[in-house]
Amino acid sequence: GENVEQHPSTLSVQEGDSAVIKCTYSDSASNYFPWYKQELGKRPQLIIDIRSNVGEKKDQRIAVTLNKTAKHFSLHITETQPEDSAVYFCAASITGGGNKLTFGTGTQLKVEL
Amino acid sequence: NAGVTQTPKFQVLKTGQSMTLQCAQDMNHEYMSWYRQDPGMGLRLIHYSVGAGITDQGEVPNGYNVSRSTTEDFPLRLLSAAPSQTSVYFCASSYSGVGQPQHFGDGTRLSIL
């Protein structure tokens, strides 16, 4: 089955700096790569996703890049703000019906003032 | 529009007791799934459904049962609670596939003594 590895497990940045979280996946058939943000005690929220026919996707201060050859994808957050502090999860799946999503183990991002 | 609603939010059980975690969605999504979240392990799929009357096992199904009699409801049953089932449980729904959850419930925090 699919295996998703996520690094780093914790990340501390100064407000205004950029943050990068990296994930690798094992199944070359995976073609859907979402990112979720989870604040303490809250539900995971889908913040951005990318499909394998696209190399990069941006949404305001958030961007995701995908390298299919190397089987890795990354989340980039620019101009970080205190409200960006949360746990971020990457995941991978094959689109279609009953195909399952495999999550990484999460990155605790702390944005310091 | 409530999205995905889970009840209860908190529950304490004794070993050997049974209970049902409720999940309901009002978005007419075909795909629903249950995850458990343990520290340092991300979210792991327990069971999922691709439509009313159709369910299947995920990564960690042992000790849990599900049914899907309507599109809206997808309850998770613990047959005989064990301390290893102490976790936070999230229900999710999607219009596009089990592997693409767009909405999560608020979670049920379950402790087994």
Side-chain angles (χ1 to χ4, degrees), chain A residues 44-83:
Chain A
Q45 290 187 300
L46 178 66
I47 56 172
I48 195 167
D49 57 17
I50 192 169
R51 299 176 190 271
S52 60
N53 59 345
V54 175
E56 184 176 6
K57 184 176 179 180
K58 291 182 179 179
D59 183 3
Q60 299 182 343
R61 296 186 297 107
I62 293 174
V64 57
T65 58
L66 171 65
N67 184 326
K68 288 188 294 183
T69 302
K71 288 190 285 187
H72 67 71
F73 56 112
S74 300
L75 178 70
H76 304 253
I77 306 173
T78 60
E79 301 174 13
T80 53
Q81 301 169 3
E83 52 265 38

Side-chain angles (χ1 to χ4, degrees), chain A residues 43-44 46, chain B residues 3-4 27 29 91-95 100-105:
Chain A
R43 68 179 77 181
L46 178 66
Chain B
V4 178
M27 297 168 284
H29 287 173
C91 179
S93 75
S94 170
Y95 59 81
Q100 298 158 76
Q102 290 101 16
H103 299 274
F104 282 83

Side-chain angles (χ1 to χ4, degrees), chain A residues 32 34 36 38 40-46 51 89 92-106, chain B residues 2 4 31 35 37 40-45 48 50 57-59 90 96-102 104-106 109:
Chain A
Y32 176 71
Y36 295 88
Q38 187 177 30
L40 187 62
K42 303 289 187 179
R43 68 179 77 181
Q45 290 187 300
L46 178 66
R51 299 176 190 271
F89 292 95
S93 74
I94 304 170
T95 55
N99 291 317
K100 309 171 194 63
L101 189 65
T102 301
F103 283 83
T105 52
Chain B
V4 178
Y31 306 98
Y35 293 87
Q37 184 174 32
M41 299 187 72
L43 285 84
R44 293 181 292 167
L45 183 65
Y48 65 94
V50 299
Q57 296 181 351
E59 181 185 355
F90 287 99
S96 52
V98 171
Q100 298 158 76
Q102 290 101 16
F104 282 83
D106 285 333
R109 284 151 182 80

Side-chain angles (χ1 to χ4, degrees), chain B residues 21-103:
Chain B
L21 280 61
Q22 301 292 343
C23 176
Q25 54 93 7
D26 60 0
M27 297 168 284
N28 202 34
H29 287 173
E30 287 295 318
Y31 306 98
M32 297 184 74
S33 48
W34 276 102
Y35 293 87
R36 60 177 290 172
Q37 184 174 32
D38 301 296
M41 299 187 72
L43 285 84
R44 293 181 292 167
L45 183 65
I46 305 171
H47 283 286
Y48 65 94
S49 170
V50 299
I54 307 170
T55 64
D56 205 345
Q57 296 181 351
E59 181 185 355
V60 288
N62 292 340
Y64 308 94
N65 270 356
V66 292
S67 60
R68 184 97 179 269
S69 56
T70 66
T71 299
E72 293 77 21
D73 299 300
F74 189 42
L76 177 72
R77 280 181 285 277
L78 278 71
L79 308 174
S80 178
S84 61
Q85 293 178 305
T86 293
S87 188
V88 181
Y89 292 84
F90 287 99
C91 179
S93 75
S94 170
Y95 59 81
S96 52
V98 171
Q100 298 158 76
Q102 290 101 16
H103 299 274

